[in-house]
Amino acid sequence: MSSVTASSKIRSMHGLVFASSVGTIIEWYDFFLYGCLAIFFAQMFYPPGNGMAATLISVATFATGFAVRPLGSLVFGHFGDRFGRKITFLTTLLIMGCSTAAIGALPDFKTAGYVAPVLLITLRIIQGLALGGEYGGAATYVAEHAPATERGKWASYIQAMASGGFVLALGIVLGLRLGLGEETFTAWGWRLPFLFSIVLVGVSFRIRMRLHESPVFLEMKQNQQVSSSPIRDAFTIPGNARRIVTFLFGVSCAQAVTFYTAQFYALYFLESVLKVAFLPATLSVAVGALCGLPFFVIFGRLSDSIGRKPLSLAGMAAAAVLYLPLFMVLKSCVHDSGIDALPIAAIVFVLVVIAALIYGPYGAFIVESFPAAVRYTSISIPYHIGNGIFGGFLPLISLSLVSRTGNVFAGLLYPAAICIIGFFVTLFFVPETLPSAVNGEKRRGISLSHEPLTTATAHPAE
């Protein structure tokens, strides 16, 4: 390969990843906005009188958006494998943007009574359906363009953008609350970050429209090897159903609980359990999450050298061993006179690094594990069941454990147990995908073969 050709492919990959990542960060921004304001929304959209009950209901509404993500993964996974990666994640982007903007126009409980939470839950369901199609499309699209020996690096940007969406949502909410003041933000300022989504989605849609379809999908279409029933084929191709199940209870569940422990449960633990005020809690978490953001790419790149599986196992083991002492230190940083903000940010940073050990290599790991003809569907199912059910319900389950037992650390039992299960399932049943990719094996999975695609000879669109 000439240096000129290699250089043009690198430039093409940078542009492709940028276009995919911009849409991903905006979709996660849209989805996480409610998560950043869940405690705040408890007093806006639910009956007054019982603060803890309202908080749990509000957090349950947050979980509702996750609960429908598996359904969205099936619907949009089918369209992605049947009609193309590009058109599908353009559709999910528009649905997500419109539903997010609609939240910004909702009446609150004082104005509309119980109609307000019903409308809010409905829009969260629509958001969850849309997000169910986003990750599978973006991860598949990028990985199918990337050179086999750099797939971990390029795919990791999609993972980083999920955390980037969280940081962006926190930053905008924090900036508005500080800039407008608490009274104005409560009156109408909270609507602005939701309405702003229309602008962000418009920009992202324009950028994504310039992308070409995945070369792997185009080749399948040209050879008339596109699956006519991706959902059925995902479970009937020999061995594929087993791969879906083992990846779900291995890597996907552990990835989900570590990501949401680092991002949301740490915030809710500070605000709801330790009663830290919104501003210092949010600022500390935002700083820690932002500092940890580069490690998603660092570990994705590292997985191209040492493998996807060792890093994933290290992250699961670290979570199981370190969660309790980390949260004990977190509690010790909260005093009657205030908080120690920098140590709290450092703890969140460590939590994000633990999550990045699993999530950084995740995109390459899961894409390499499934055949191309049903890849969008196959990777969406474990990812969105893992994140939608096991991860999305983590704040609700963990806060409920704290409320029920009276022990502030009881909520950590759930993510630690999931990581222990995930560790052993991954160790014994999930195969490493890197060696065959590095060895340059012949590409497989274009037809409805039982074997996954382990390399991609396709190159970035010119």
Side-chain angles (χ1 to χ4, degrees), residues 396-413:
L396 177 62
I397 293 171
S398 293
L399 289 177
S400 296
L401 286 172
V402 171
S403 177
R404 186 177 182 85
T405 63
N407 185 330
V408 296
F409 301 116
L412 299 173
L413 290 172

Side-chain angles (χ1 to χ4, degrees), residues 310-329:
L311 291 171
S312 301
L313 290 172
M316 297 174 205
V321 172
L322 296 178
Y323 271 175
L324 180 58
L326 286 172
F327 275 80
M328 290 177 70
V329 175

Side-chain angles (χ1 to χ4, degrees), residues 440-461:
E441 285 189 9
K442 177 181 168 184
R443 190 177 75 213
R444 296 170 293 182
I446 292 299
S447 65
L448 293 182
S449 163
H450 68 283
E451 294 185 279
L453 171 66
T454 52
T455 68
T457 57
H459 299 300

Side-chain angles (χ1 to χ4, degrees), residues 167-403:
V167 173
L168 179 63
L170 275 182
I172 289 180
V173 169
L174 185 61
L176 286 171
R177 290 186 85 155
L178 289 174
L180 297 175
E182 200 63 26
E183 183 176 344
T184 302
F185 184 85
T186 302
W188 56 266
W190 64 268
R191 301 180 183 275
L192 296 180
F194 292 94
L195 296 173
F196 183 54
S197 174
I198 289 291
V199 177
L200 295 177
V201 167
V203 172
S204 177
F205 186 83
R206 183 177 178 84
I207 293 173
R208 278 190 169 184
M209 279 294 293
R210 299 169 58 188
L211 293 174
H212 301 294
E213 181 55 83
S214 159
V216 174
F217 181 82
L218 290 176
E219 184 176 342
M220 289 191 301
K221 188 174 181 180
Q222 181 179 356
N223 295 332
Q224 297 183 335
Q225 294 171 330
V226 173
S227 172
S228 60
S229 182
I231 297 174
R232 180 199 64 200
D233 291 336
F235 290 97
T236 57
I237 294 173
N240 205 59
R242 175 183 55 79
R243 284 193 290 268
I244 289 174
V245 172
T246 55
F247 210 94
L248 167 61
F249 289 101
V251 185
S252 290
C253 288
Q255 172 269 310
V257 297
T258 54
F259 184 80
Y260 289 104
T261 297
Q263 309 280 15
F264 285 105
Y265 187 63
L267 179 62
Y268 295 166
F269 183 79
L270 289 169
E271 287 191 80
S272 183
V273 178
L274 301 183
K275 307 302 179 184
V276 177
F278 169 83
L279 176 59
T282 304
L283 188 58
S284 299
V285 171
V287 170
L290 183 62
C291 291
L293 188 60
F295 283 85
F296 292 93
V297 178
I298 290 171
F299 292 136
R301 184 190 294 264
L302 185 60
S303 76
D304 287 325
S305 301
I306 68 173
R308 328 298 186 197
K309 189 170 176 176
L311 291 171
S312 301
L313 290 172
M316 297 174 205
V321 172
L322 296 178
Y323 271 175
L324 180 58
L326 286 172
F327 275 80
M328 290 177 70
V329 175
L330 196 62
K331 183 177 182 296
S332 72
C333 294
V334 179
H335 318 287
D336 292 337
S337 58
I339 67 167
D340 299 325
L342 285 179
I344 289 176
I347 294 298
V348 173
F349 166 76
V350 175
L351 292 172
V352 172
V353 171
I354 290 173
L357 277 165
I358 308 173
Y359 205 19
Y362 186 92
F365 203 172
I366 195 168
V367 168
E368 291 168 347
S369 297
F370 297 101
V374 291
R375 179 171 297 127
Y376 202 136
T377 302
S378 296
I379 74 175
S380 294
I381 292 171
Y383 180 78
H384 288 293
I385 291 178
N387 281 269
I389 304 301
F390 291 91
F393 280 84
L394 184 147
L396 177 62
I397 293 171
S398 293
L399 289 177
S400 296
L401 286 172
V402 171
S403 177

Side-chain angles (χ1 to χ4, degrees), residues 59-73:
V59 172
T61 302
F62 175 64
T64 300
F66 287 86
V68 298
R69 279 172 59 179
L71 177 59
S73 72

Side-chain angles (χ1 to χ4, degrees), residues 8-9 12-13 16 141 145 210-213 215 459-462:
S8 67
K9 287 177 179 175
S12 187
M13 279 304 303
L16 181 147
Y141 186 84
H145 279 87
R210 299 169 58 188
L211 293 174
H212 301 294
E213 181 55 83
H459 299 300
E462 297 300 333

Side-chain angles (χ1 to χ4, degrees), residues 28-41:
W28 282 107
Y29 162 82
D30 287 349
F31 195 73
F32 283 162
L33 267 180
Y34 180 87
C36 296
L37 292 169
I39 306 300
F40 171 81
F41 274 12

Side-chain angles (χ1 to χ4, degrees), residues 18 129 186:
F18 171 76
L129 290 172
T186 302

